[in-house]
Amino acid sequence: MFAGYIMTEINSGHRLMLLPGVRYEQNETEYFAYHIVTNDGQTGIQPNPDSVTTNRENANWFPSLNMKYKITDYLSIQGAAYKSTSRPSFRQISPLVIYRHTSQQITANNPYLEPSTAWNFDIGFSLMKSKIGLLTVYGFYKEINDLAFTMA
């Protein structure tokens, strides 16, 4: 796996702070498993199962922008927009396939699942005064693409 990140903090006066950045990551992975056929024999599987190897390559850019603006000395607005990822688990992408001889059931995974990506948008307001302490209200919105999930 290879990854790199670059960011900078930009201050405009004492009220506005911008924090842009970008992350790049690339990974290459090889997965190995068997295609297994079950039977009623001593081992429960037919001899010499087929082996399967799957190679995966994923590369993604993840930009981000964070900002904070002090409206007054005690009231500020903060926000962020960024891209993130969630990778499938090994179980989800293993090329393992099991053919059950006693039924029409096949258990299989999907080695071609891609990582899901999401655009995230956050915004919040903070009020900080010595008499009331800190009060923060935040909201967020997330758009997820290619979400992999298991249905039972």
Side-chain angles (χ1 to χ4, degrees):
M1 181 172 192
F2 167 81
Y5 185 78
I6 187 168
M7 63 176 259
T8 187
E9 183 175 313
I10 302 166
N11 292 297
S12 178
H14 70 282
R15 295 209 182 270
L16 177 64
M17 185 276 297
L18 297 173
L19 188 67
V22 65
R23 175 181 169 85
Y24 174 78
E25 62 181 50
Q26 174 183 343
N27 61 38
E28 297 176 17
T29 313
E30 182 175 282
Y31 294 94
F32 172 84
Y34 290 99
H35 284 193
I36 297 171
V37 178
T38 64
N39 65 23
D40 289 329
Q42 185 177 4
T43 63
I45 62 172
Q46 290 187 5
N48 304 317
D50 292 331
S51 63
V52 179
T53 301
T54 304
N55 293 303
R56 295 176 52 90
E57 293 182 21
N58 297 108
N60 281 300
W61 289 93
F62 300 101
S64 67
L65 176 62
N66 294 275
M67 121 21 234
K68 182 175 184 179
Y69 182 74
K70 290 184 180 181
I71 299 168
T72 66
D73 287 340
Y74 56 88
L75 181 63
S76 65
I77 181 172
Q78 302 156 33
Y82 57 98
K83 186 177 180 185
S84 61
T85 189
S86 177
R87 293 166 194 81
S89 69
F90 172 72
R91 179 176 295 277
Q92 291 173 306
I93 60 176
S94 166
L96 174 70
V97 177
I98 300 173
Y99 305 93
R100 303 203 189 289
H101 81 287
T102 56
S103 68
Q104 299 293 321
Q105 183 181 7
I106 296 175
T107 303
N109 304 309
N110 184 351
Y112 302 105
L113 285 176
E114 294 292 327
S116 63
T117 56
W119 276 102
N120 306 272
F121 304 95
D122 303 342
I123 190 163
F125 296 91
S126 292
L127 175 65
M128 188 160 134
K129 292 196 108 183
S130 58
K131 289 183 180 181
I132 63 169
L134 175 65
L135 173 66
T136 301
V137 177
Y138 253 86
F140 69 92
Y141 174 77
K142 181 179 280 212
E143 262 183 45
I144 303 173
N145 297 307
D146 301 320
L147 180 63
F149 57 92
T150 303
M151 294 178 61

